[in-house]
Amino acid sequence: PSLEETYLPDWSARFKWSGTTSLSIGGMLSEYAKTTGIELLDLTPKMRQVRQSNAPLYLEVDAHPNSKGHKFLPQLIGPFLYE
């Protein structure tokens, strides 16, 4: 998921905005995967869960994962690939 998708709940609460992830790239991909029967691993819920623990997963200067993010993502993706 993008930095924006991961932080969406924080922004929604801060700005009292009831946004939806269906407007996001991940939301659109998820909807497309459902309609076409493609299996998709949505990392957004787990990334948000880690985000709530105040563990930064993205670089401060852009939306790319930092070293913690790069260590965390394979832990989520690996089991999905081996199923």
Side-chain angles (χ1 to χ4, degrees):
S2 68
L3 169 91
E4 292 81 7
E5 290 174 285
T6 302
Y7 285 75
L8 182 64
D10 294 348
W11 295 339
S12 296
R14 182 175 179 186
F15 298 108
K16 296 181 173 76
W17 172 65
S18 59
T20 175
T21 58
S22 65
L23 299 175
S24 68
I25 297 294
M28 289 186 279
L29 284 173
S30 181
E31 290 174 21
Y32 178 78
K34 286 178 189 175
T35 62
T36 58
I38 297 172
E39 191 171 3
L40 176 75
L41 173 61
D42 183 4
L43 301 174
T44 308
K46 288 289 185 184
M47 295 290 278
R48 285 182 179 165
Q49 183 179 11
V50 171
R51 167 64 189 113
Q52 289 174 351
S53 69
N54 293 322
L57 299 173
Y58 295 91
L59 296 172
E60 291 183 20
V61 295
D62 65 26
H64 289 90
N66 63 18
S67 60
K68 289 180 184 179
H70 280 292
K71 289 179 184 176
F72 179 68
L73 289 168
Q75 295 173 18
L76 298 176
I77 297 168
F80 176 79
L81 294 175
Y82 287 107
E83 286 182 359

